[in-house]
Amino acid sequence: MITINKLLGTFFSLSVGFISFMFVSAKKRNVIHHEMNACPHDAATDKLSVFFISDIHRRKIDAKLIKKVQNEREIDIVIIGGDLAEKGVPLKRIEKNIRYLATLGPIFFVWGNNDREVEEDEIRKIITHNGGKILDNESATIPGHPRFCICGSDDPSSRKVDFGSTLQYIEDYEFVIVVTHTPSLFRIVEQYCKPLLMLAGHTHGGQIRIGKYGLQDKGEFRLEEGRAKLISNGYGTSTLPLRLGAAPESHVIQINYGESVVEVS
């Protein structure tokens, strides 16, 4: 006859096992590969390889992740989509994470809703010291790819979002990449322009999902009419270091594009 103690023991063991499974799942170094063609009617003579990572929070970037990314392909730029850190994350960990990411390529960073819980000036120093660029409602030319512009907005939590400034120079470029931490800003971006690629994180894909149900939609890469939107599940976790049904992820996006067409008058 099964006793109450045995039932409780079995329940406890299953609970510990389930929590351990979610903890291990949250530590996986998943690198998802995406590919798109910027010029569908032209032969792809060039390519831009982007590494996108968001919502690192308390997690450590290590050599194993860097090696995994490098095995995918050579990276042209690294984009950090906000929440590099949160309250309580040591500056030494942030600096080490940035140093690792900088080995892949030049860094572009946008603020998330948690980053300023750490000392903002120190984060700025760490990123710029490692050759990175903070996109404070501004744009920049992508090194080695002068036809590409990357635009980054501040996070709504700062009350400093300004897409007029963020997108003011996009007409000087053929291809535009827009990065925001919060994907709800995509709708505002599309009132100004139709970027080739939009990137965001923030939602963690719900982080813990029961089947198809979660507090947030699961992340996805959506390609429509030659344009793409990527909302990442993020790499780290918030509140609980656990994941279920929304695996941690980082991304390599390869953009193939053809020769520039020069109009002759």
Side-chain angles (χ1 to χ4, degrees):
M1 185 175 180
I2 299 176
T3 65
I4 291 178
N5 285 340
K6 285 184 177 180
L7 286 172
L8 290 174
T10 300
F11 177 77
F12 178 77
S13 297
L14 289 173
S15 298
V16 170
F18 189 55
I19 292 172
S20 298
F21 171 78
M22 290 193 289
F23 180 80
V24 171
S25 296
K27 299 299 181 184
K28 290 184 177 179
R29 303 176 184 86
N30 297 321
V31 180
I32 313 299
H33 185 264
H34 315 277
E35 188 168 353
M36 62 183 296
N37 297 320
C39 304
H41 302 298
D42 298 326
T45 55
D46 296 293
K47 63 184 179 182
L48 171 66
S49 293
V50 176
F51 179 64
F52 178 63
I53 189 168
S54 70
D55 302 282
I56 298 171
H57 289 283
R58 294 179 174 274
R59 197 165 178 191
K60 297 178 181 178
I61 304 295
D62 60 13
K64 290 182 178 179
L65 173 66
I66 300 303
K67 184 177 181 180
K68 193 170 185 178
V69 175
Q70 290 172 331
N71 287 341
E72 290 281 336
R73 63 184 68 253
E74 185 176 346
I75 300 299
D76 293 304
I77 60 170
V78 174
I79 301 175
I80 304 174
D83 280 0
L84 167 66
E86 63 179 36
K87 184 177 180 180
V89 177
L91 289 173
K92 287 185 178 180
R93 182 180 304 173
I94 298 170
E95 184 172 15
K96 189 172 183 180
N97 284 348
I98 290 294
R99 279 195 279 111
Y100 266 124
L101 291 171
T103 64
L104 294 173
I107 289 175
F108 292 91
F109 169 80
V110 297
W111 297 101
N113 57 297
N114 292 115
D115 289 307
R116 290 183 171 98
E117 295 172 3
V118 186
E119 297 175 60
E120 179 178 341
D121 288 345
E122 292 300 320
I123 290 180
R124 289 184 180 276
K125 288 177 184 177
I126 289 169
I127 292 174
T128 55
H129 178 73
N130 286 277
K133 169 71 173 174
I134 298 175
L135 296 170
D136 287 309
N137 295 315
E138 59 186 304
S139 61
T141 304
I142 293 180
H145 299 266
R147 297 160 65 192
F148 279 83
C149 171
I150 180 169
C151 307
S153 80
D154 209 323
D155 189 74
S157 60
S158 71
R159 299 184 179 181
K160 296 178 182 178
V161 174
D162 181 355
F163 279 110
S165 296
T166 304
L167 304 171
Q168 64 178 323
Y169 298 116
I170 60 173
E171 292 183 1
D172 296 338
Y173 299 87
E174 288 182 64
F175 309 117
V176 177
I177 298 173
V178 175
V179 190
T180 72
H181 179 63
T182 305
S184 61
L185 294 179
F186 284 0
R187 294 192 298 272
I188 301 176
V189 173
E190 290 175 326
Q191 294 174 13
Y192 289 84
C193 64
K194 301 294 183 184
L196 176 68
L197 174 63
M198 289 194 285
L199 303 168
H202 181 57
T203 67
H204 297 202
Q207 192 166 309
I208 297 176
R209 308 181 62 83
I210 306 300
K212 64 180 182 179
Y213 300 103
L215 294 176
Q216 299 278 1
D217 292 336
K218 197 171 182 179
E220 65 173 345
F221 178 82
R222 183 183 299 173
L223 185 61
E224 295 178 350
E225 299 179 352
R227 304 180 189 277
K229 298 176 184 178
L230 170 60
I231 302 173
S232 177
N233 285 344
Y235 193 67
T237 57
S238 184
T239 307
L240 296 173
L242 308 174
R243 279 188 180 267
L244 179 68
E249 57 189 24
S250 58
H251 308 264
V252 173
I253 307 135
Q254 179 175 305
I255 304 172
N256 305 312
Y257 63 102
E259 294 181 359
S260 180
V261 177
V262 179
E263 294 185 2
V264 180
S265 57

